[in-house]
Amino acid sequence: NNKSKHNVFVRDLVREVVGFAPYERRIMELLKNSRDKRARKLGKKRLGTLTRSKRKVDELSNVLNAMRRH
């Protein structure tokens, strides 16, 4: 998990261009409706482990918060 400036820039750029995968959009929809546990379970099914799922759900909830701020 290297967080160099260039790495962060490239990831942000790629995310901006390609958008979100369908399962990520569904997780964001669940988070909007405050179904956090269901979002984690969906992430676990798609990503394999609960730790990865929690990290992904945190990332997507940060994205939602950023969208609300703007």
Side-chain angles (χ1 to χ4, degrees):
N1 259 356
N2 291 344
K3 298 272 185 181
S4 66
K5 280 187 205 170
H6 183 265
N7 204 345
V8 170
F9 170 73
V10 170
R11 285 180 185 209
D12 287 344
L13 185 66
V14 169
R15 176 64 82 188
E16 199 174 310
V17 172
V18 300
F20 294 96
Y23 84 94
E24 290 174 328
R25 286 198 296 268
R26 186 168 166 205
I27 287 176
M28 285 168 39
E29 198 60 41
L30 289 168
L31 289 172
K32 282 181 195 169
N33 298 327
S34 65
R35 302 284 303 273
D36 297 37
K37 185 174 181 179
R38 173 61 58 192
R40 281 196 300 272
K41 286 180 83 167
L42 174 66
K44 183 177 183 294
K45 186 169 186 241
R46 292 285 189 263
L47 297 170
T49 67
L50 191 61
T51 305
R52 289 176 185 169
S53 172
K54 285 178 182 175
R55 194 180 313 137
K56 178 64 78 172
V57 168
D58 285 345
E59 177 191 326
L60 294 174
S61 63
N62 289 340
V63 168
L64 281 176
N65 288 337
M67 287 166 63
R68 281 194 198 110
R69 277 187 230 118
H70 287 88

